[in-house]
Amino acid sequence: MLDKTTRVNLLYDHYGALLTEKQRSFVELHYLEDLSLGEIAIQFGVSRQAVHDHLRRAVDQLEQYEAVLGLVSRHMRRRAVKRQLAEVIAGLPVDDDQQRRLLELVGELCEDGNGTGGGDGDV
Amino acid sequence: MLDKTTRVNLLYDHYGALLTEKQRSFVELHYLEDLSLGEIAIQFGVSRQAVHDHLRRAVDQLEQYEAVLGLVSRHMRRRAVKRQLAEVIAGLPVDDDQQRRLLELVGELCEDGNGTGGGDGDV
């Protein structure tokens, strides 16, 4: 089971671009940069409760996207398969160049990060 | 360049679950099952123009999701890398079992299909 911060970070990596700009700011400050609700409230001139509500709604929305698209769970599965592949490749009777080439291509296959920042959000 | 139907099918594979039920029906009937706008209009008891507008908005929405999340372009890149990997694997001095195991794991790594039908849509 992932802890909450890791979970939100993963969700944010995959669906952050679908949040509003304000939601993105709050999620980044709280979950990525570890600012408290109070600190964010001061920075934005809003109440601590408002920050709390914005964050809760943002995380709910990220979880709803995951429930529908499942990109995070696919990412986790892919990571597990990548580990298995690395083990299999390490045991092959191939030379260093071939091994490096295989691992490089497997790495490219696993790049599934981060729509965040790629677009303007608010679809 | 993909033709329109192939493009919409790919978009629908990745983001269809985010459309409303009615949008999904229209997209499926027109782009997957090749019904004409007129045939769909009769089936749903609406005007041909209404079907046209619904479809246009649905496809616009799919394209907006792609602009933000880029899952289809990632899918295409992954397909190209998978082909390269298959070629490299075919040229390795390994036995049939190892080759089969490698291709199997690479196949799992490439499973990125289809959120459609996995959820209830309308996030």
Side-chain angles (χ1 to χ4, degrees), chain B:
Chain B
M1 195 59 195
L2 299 172
D3 70 80
K4 171 94 182 221
T5 302
T6 309
R7 170 89 184 159
V8 174
N9 273 293
L10 272 173
L11 290 167
Y12 186 73
D13 271 352
H14 287 85
Y15 308 109
L18 294 169
L19 298 179
T20 65
E21 207 184 310
K22 187 181 241 177
Q23 285 177 316
R24 279 205 295 275
S25 299
F26 285 10
V27 170
E28 285 187 14
L29 291 171
H30 187 58
Y31 288 100
L32 282 68
E33 297 178 26
D34 201 31
L35 262 66
S36 71
L37 303 188
E39 287 168 321
I40 299 171
I42 291 168
Q43 188 165 323
F44 281 78
V46 297
S47 70
R48 195 185 167 287
Q49 185 62 39
V51 175
H52 177 268
D53 292 347
H54 271 294
L55 276 174
R56 195 181 43 71
R57 272 198 299 274
V59 173
D60 282 354
Q61 222 170 311
L62 294 173
E63 287 287 4
Q64 278 176 288
Y65 282 118
E66 173 63 8
V68 176
L69 295 180
L71 299 180
V72 170
S73 76
R74 215 173 292 152
H75 166 83
M76 306 294 281
R77 277 204 304 279
R78 203 173 278 142
R79 233 167 46 172
V81 174
K82 188 186 176 187
R83 272 195 300 269
Q84 283 179 271
L85 252 172
E87 274 174 38
V88 172
I89 289 170
L92 291 177
V94 299
D95 63 39
D96 284 359
D97 275 352
Q98 286 172 316
Q99 197 168 101
R100 199 172 311 118
R101 180 76 183 128
L102 279 171
L103 291 172
E104 193 181 282
L105 287 170
V106 167
E108 282 182 47
L109 221 45
C110 289
E111 275 166 17
D112 67 354
N114 196 333
T116 308
D120 295 318
D122 300 299
V123 171

Side-chain angles (χ1 to χ4, degrees), chain A residues 76-91:
Chain A
M76 305 294 281
R77 275 203 305 279
R78 204 174 277 143
R79 234 167 48 174
V81 174
K82 189 187 176 186
R83 274 196 297 272
Q84 283 178 272
L85 252 173
E87 276 174 37
V88 171
I89 290 170

